[in-house]
């Protein structure tokens, strides 16, 4: 069992930076691949893959839209995964979720554990 709690969201101006954190409970955190997803509000909006990291941290993957601006990392000693977001572009409010699963994948389906999310708004 893994419980996830995100933090670090907020309101930021375009071009600015935010660092999201996802704290995990459970002794098996280091066994899980972790990922960040983004979901805009509204009906039919899906959770879009943002970034993922393998259980060891050796492999990372990014959506094309954030590659070069965002960095995912993890500290297994602290049971925490991070998402450093730089060069943020204007967008309405969106919720960023962290997710955990044995397999690292680029789609939301199949991830076993999810946090409640943290909202990010980038103003122009």
């Amino acid at each position: 069992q893994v419980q996830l709690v995100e933090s670090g969201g907020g309101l930021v101006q375009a071009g600015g930076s935010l660092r999201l954190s996802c704290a995990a409970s459970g002794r098996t955190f280091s066994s899980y691949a972790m990922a960040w997803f983004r979901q805009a509000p509204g009906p039919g909006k899906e959770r879009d893959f943002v970034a993922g990291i393998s259980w060891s941290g050796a492999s990372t993957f990014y959506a094309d839209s954030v590659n070069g601006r965002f960095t995912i990392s993890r500290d297994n000693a602290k049971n925490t995964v991070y998402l450093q977001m730089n060069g943020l572009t204007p967008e309405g409010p969106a919720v960023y979720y962290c997710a955990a699963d044995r397999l690292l994948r680029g789609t939301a389906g199949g991830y076993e554990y999810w946090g409640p999310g943290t909202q990010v708004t980038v103003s122009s």
Side-chain angles (χ1 to χ4, degrees), residues 2-85:
V2 177
Q3 292 183 325
L4 306 173
V5 179
E6 303 92 339
S7 62
L11 175 65
V12 63
Q13 288 189 329
S17 299
L18 276 177
R19 188 195 197 201
L20 304 184
S21 299
C22 175
S25 65
R27 294 177 293 175
T28 60
F29 171 76
S30 60
S31 300
Y32 287 84
M34 302 294 297
W36 287 94
F37 288 81
R38 175 186 174 278
Q39 186 174 29
K45 296 294 185 179
E46 298 182 348
R47 294 183 181 184
D48 296 323
F49 176 80
V50 175
I53 188 167
S54 61
W55 65 270
S56 67
S59 298
T60 57
F61 302 93
Y62 298 92
D64 290 343
S65 59
V66 306
N67 199 16
R69 297 185 297 118
F70 289 13
T71 302
I72 187 171
S73 61
R74 68 189 296 161
D75 186 339
N76 286 344
K78 295 182 178 180
N79 280 12
T80 303
V81 63
Y82 305 96
L83 184 68
Q84 178 67 44
M85 306 188 293

